Amino acid sequence: MKIAFLVFATMEAMTPQPNRAFLDALSQAEEVRIREVPLSKRNKLVFSLQEILRDFDGQYHTDTHRAYLVRLKVKPSLPNEAPLEKVSEDEWSHYADLLIENGDYLLARNIFSYQLQRDLRDPRALKGLGTCLFKLSDKAAAKKCFKALWELHRQPAALCWLGFCALAEHDDEQALEYFNQAAHGEPKHLTDNERFELYKELGNCFARMEEFSKAIDEYEKAAAINPSSDTLFVNRGTVELHRNNLASAAEFFKKAAELNPKNSKAICGLGLVAMTGENLDCAETEFERALDIDICNTPALFQLVSISHVKGDFTRVKRRLRAFLLNEPKNVQGRYLLGAILFKEGAWKESEKEVDAVLALQVNHIEANRLKEQLVLNKHRS
């Protein structure tokens, strides 16, 4: 059995004089895991299972306090603890919501599963379990929960989440159907975050279909909910780039980077604008900046490869490709590009090793097969 405590502590030491139940739990725990969690208005100082399941009205200052989620694996019974069966449904739901808020989907999943054992039709538990399963990458099981939520309770949120599941399966057509149904139903019953994601993903679907005016309409609806979303500015910049409105695209990407200097996609977008305008030096600088933030930004990486071919200097891009392949060893395109560069430099054996790796992953890769033929012809030069 696992029990979680959200513990509030000062910078110097734990809050003094915790109650006996917490200390007993620590002393009897078979396993203890502690991680810091972001402070929010819902943080609480608790030392027992009952307390974490109830609201605690306390005011703390974030400059002197830090919060930790302490997960204990303990024996089924603790001294002075009420049986779990006596915990109300509202208390369970509050507890699970707190866990989801802090990203602990595994433990929250167990609570929602327990609630569904009591009532298979519980809408809050169906939605909560589906959300946890989605976040834990079990999309098939998540879909079952959201389908049940829609069939039993007709909640628009179920359609939103079914759309997110369809997107995860790269099925834009099905996602668009779910999103349109949710948007024309009763979106006012969705949370702000659900409505934001609904409009944003609707915009993304339309953008991929090159229906750019519709995409912008949906992005503007999302912006009305969260006007400071750097992601939305990146999406708007991408649409303007596709429409060849370079100045407008650059403004959107710059705004995204101002809102979030660590947004690698925004900086890559500036590189794409420069690349489209044939300013290779500026583009190279921006792509390098994007890769400094995220070495796995493939658009920036692959565009940098193109610039390296034009300039005839592969020193830095080879280093970037190798660092990327350490993180994504089965990326076919990355391995092929490295193999092609090595071939161009006359490093036949190294090139053949990369090409063989590509063909092991994708036997019908056209460019890799052609490069393999060239390598065979050049074996005498090895």
Side-chain angles (χ1 to χ4, degrees):
M1 175 183 179
K2 292 183 179 179
I3 294 179
F5 297 85
L6 186 60
V7 180
F8 213 75
T10 65
M11 294 289 285
E12 294 80 15
M14 297 292 289
T15 303
Q17 298 180 345
N19 78 6
R20 187 66 189 175
F22 178 68
L23 295 178
D24 287 343
L26 280 178
S27 65
Q28 297 175 24
E30 298 176 10
E31 179 182 334
V32 179
R33 294 185 182 181
I34 302 175
R35 64 180 174 86
E36 188 170 356
V37 297
L39 295 176
S40 74
K41 64 181 180 180
R42 299 188 65 179
N43 284 342
K44 302 169 179 65
L45 171 62
V46 292
F47 295 110
S48 73
L49 181 59
Q50 289 99 335
E51 290 176 20
I52 200 170
L53 296 173
R54 293 195 298 265
D55 286 331
F56 181 90
D57 297 322
Q59 299 297 322
Y60 299 95
H61 299 286
T62 59
D63 57 343
T64 57
H65 294 79
R66 299 170 71 176
Y68 300 87
L69 186 65
V70 182
R71 294 179 62 187
L72 309 178
K73 184 177 181 182
V74 299
K75 296 178 181 179
S77 60
L78 287 174
N80 303 318
E81 291 290 347
L84 296 182
E85 289 75 9
K86 293 185 179 180
V87 178
S88 72
E89 292 298 322
D90 285 343
E91 288 176 320
W92 274 124
S93 296
H94 173 71
Y95 180 30
D97 289 343
L98 181 62
L99 291 169
I100 287 180
E101 183 180 322
N102 287 289
D104 198 335
Y105 303 111
L106 191 61
L107 193 53
R109 182 198 65 182
N110 294 342
I111 293 176
F112 288 124
S113 296
Y114 172 74
Q115 288 180 297
L116 285 174
Q117 289 176 14
R118 293 170 139 187
D119 180 4
L120 283 172
R121 301 172 62 90
D122 185 338
R124 192 167 179 177
L126 282 170
K127 182 181 177 183
L129 180 59
T131 302
C132 292
L133 292 169
F134 182 90
K135 296 292 186 179
L136 292 168
S137 299
D138 191 349
K139 304 300 190 298
K143 282 169 63 177
K144 292 179 181 178
C145 291
F146 297 130
K147 283 182 177 179
L149 183 62
W150 175 247
E151 291 168 1
L152 293 171
H153 304 286
R154 284 296 191 260
Q155 286 197 6
L159 296 172
C160 279
W161 282 99
L162 285 169
F164 301 150
C165 289
L167 286 181
E169 297 170 344
H170 308 290
D171 189 346
D172 274 10
E173 185 177 351
Q174 181 64 72
L176 195 58
E177 184 178 334
Y178 283 130
F179 290 147
N180 277 326
Q181 198 175 351
H184 292 96
E186 297 184 80
K188 64 179 181 293
H189 293 309
L190 306 175
T191 66
D192 284 347
N193 184 62
E194 287 168 343
R195 286 191 300 119
F196 173 81
E197 291 295 329
L198 166 65
Y199 295 134
K200 176 173 70 72
E201 294 300 347
L202 256 175
N204 290 346
C205 285
F206 285 129
R208 286 190 289 269
M209 296 165 61
E210 299 188 0
E211 295 189 32
F212 298 126
S213 295
K214 290 183 179 180
I216 291 172
D217 288 343
E218 299 302 330
Y219 290 147
E220 288 179 348
K221 292 177 186 176
I225 300 168
N226 183 4
S228 60
S229 167
D230 53 301
T231 299
L232 276 184
F233 281 101
V234 169
N235 293 354
R236 285 296 306 272
T238 302
V239 166
E240 296 304 327
L241 186 60
H242 279 291
R243 299 168 83 182
N244 207 36
N245 297 330
L246 300 187
S248 180
E251 287 303 312
F252 282 120
F253 289 132
K254 285 177 183 176
K255 181 63 177 177
E258 289 172 5
L259 288 167
N260 179 9
K262 294 296 185 181
N263 190 322
S264 176
K265 293 180 180 179
I267 298 168
C268 177
L270 291 171
L272 292 171
V273 170
M275 189 85 167
T276 305
E278 298 184 357
N279 188 342
L280 296 188
D281 289 337
C282 178
E284 185 176 35
T285 298
E286 299 297 354
F287 292 141
E288 291 273 10
R289 286 179 59 209
L291 290 168
D292 285 339
I293 296 170
D294 178 14
I295 190 57
C296 292
N297 186 324
T298 51
L301 180 61
F302 296 164
Q303 290 297 326
L304 199 59
V305 171
S306 297
I307 293 174
S308 298
H309 277 284
V310 173
K311 292 189 170 184
D313 181 3
F314 303 105
T315 304
R316 287 190 296 178
V317 79
K318 279 195 301 183
R319 175 175 59 82
R320 296 283 192 184
L321 276 168
R322 284 179 169 134
F324 165 70
L325 290 169
L326 285 176
N327 287 280
E328 301 284 346
K330 294 185 178 181
N331 187 282
V332 171
Q333 188 64 11
R335 290 220 168 270
Y336 168 73
L337 291 173
L338 180 57
I341 288 173
L342 293 168
F343 177 83
K344 196 165 187 175
E345 291 182 328
W348 316 111
K349 288 184 178 179
E350 290 183 74
S351 176
E352 187 169 25
K353 180 180 177 182
E354 297 300 331
V355 171
D356 287 344
V358 171
L359 294 175
L361 293 166
Q362 189 174 320
V363 68
N364 295 321
H365 193 286
I366 296 173
E367 292 87 354
N369 277 295
R370 288 174 181 167
L371 189 53
K372 179 71 173 180
E373 291 174 5
Q374 292 297 314
L375 285 163
V376 171
L377 293 174
N378 285 280
K379 272 191 177 295
H380 64 284
R381 299 172 61 185
S382 298

